[in-house]
Amino acid sequence: MAQVMWTVTGSVQVEHVLPELAWIRGARSALRGIKVRVQARSKIPFGWGPWTSWGTVVTDGRGRFTVAETRGGDRRQLRIQVLFDDDRLRIKEGGRAGVSLGGDGFPVDVAIDVTDKDWFVIHDDRVAATESRRAGCHDLGTLLVGPRRLRELADLWTLVGLALDGLDSMGSRFGLDRKQVVKYPMGVGNGSPASGSYSNPRNGTVYIAGDELHSRTILHELMHQWAYDRTRGEDGLAWQLARHGAAAPAAREATTVMPFHEAFADWAAYELLRRLSNGGLSSFLEDNSDSEPGVPHSRAFLVQALGSTDRHLDTVAFTERGWRSFLTLLTCPTVDPLEPETAGALAGPSGTIHGPTRSVRCGLTFRQVLDVLNSHAGRPGANSDLRNSDLDFRGIVHRAQRVHPELTDDVVAGIMSCLDPLDSTTPRDGVLVPRRRSELRMPVGAGLATAGAPRS
Ligand SMILES: [Zn+2]
């Protein structure tokens, strides 16, 4: 039979499930950089021959793919499959099963990639009304992935891909060490209370639980991996399993390592969201864990996590809210000195933190704070991975000052004053006392007025 040219083309898009992606990219957007496999089968006397692959290609920036083949001119049917996979990322559909725990405390998850399990059919002439095709050019148009599970996996690909782009764009030292695998839906089975989402530092895999497909959770788990890449002595990080599954984690933890990692992952998720949305989103549209991102906690709120005999700066580092406040203070451009009864803006334009004795500048960028966790060759004090013993305020500040000399002792003193429960909780002249916005709520009438409610 004469050989003729077949061309199959189309574009792959997803209608977003995650509201933050719909906000950033519109209701639907192109699936970039995914693998597309075109299959065809021939009409034979009593039915159809087997599906054979005509090749695998990668979609371009507009989600487009094209496969051209020289084949016989007999009638064909086409089938299109996709795989969410490239050098940086692989998305896998998981499952909830009775998973046993390995020696490292994480569920045993054997990665076997010998099947086609991760390939998903997005078009099939059998299912579509198409009876058979002749040789020539077949533009399948826009192929929307579905059903919902596939849209969810496509959103994981899109969101994690955007996050990896954002991290990579900061510089060569800001990416992840290895290819990330994200599995969804996945969890520890048998109704285990430790059934939240988690990141396993051993195999570089993020597991998203079936009921936790939210942008914050996804970015939180990804940033755990980012931090683990830069931390040594992470044995025992399986505490995450219980921590993420717990309805109400302890305010005061037994170590500083756990609250550091938890606060960092959550704080960084917000910073990433702001970056991915070009500053348009400062809060997640669902699963929002932080009611006042970017606003440091008041000393009064920090102290609530500590027993009455336990109220020292050092013990604040045993709390997630302490680390969350510390990270926020590093990036806070300024916190104005507050009058006790004033519900005014907490952050002003001057880039100034008012320390106990004088005004000091801070306001590191997200990138600059991440850089504190990077290792810097030739800079003693910051030239190796973080060890668990570095993860207290003293250790982190020491490292941060090696990386960013502009963090002078004055700046550090201003930050520490905000975290120190032994410092006065009453604002003094020129003393920074950050407060939670919720603690500053005005009486109902005044609050409504400042919120811009219609005036009569
Ligand atoms: Zn976490």
Side-chain angles (χ1 to χ4, degrees), residues 32-46:
R32 307 191 280 227
I34 63 168
K35 293 197 166 85
V36 174
R37 182 160 68 193
V38 174
Q39 294 175 307
R41 62 179 189 173
S42 295
K43 195 138 179 76
I44 55 176
F46 301 102

Side-chain angles (χ1 to χ4, degrees), residues 220 224 244 262:
H220 176 110
H224 269 319
H244 287 182
E262 282 309 316

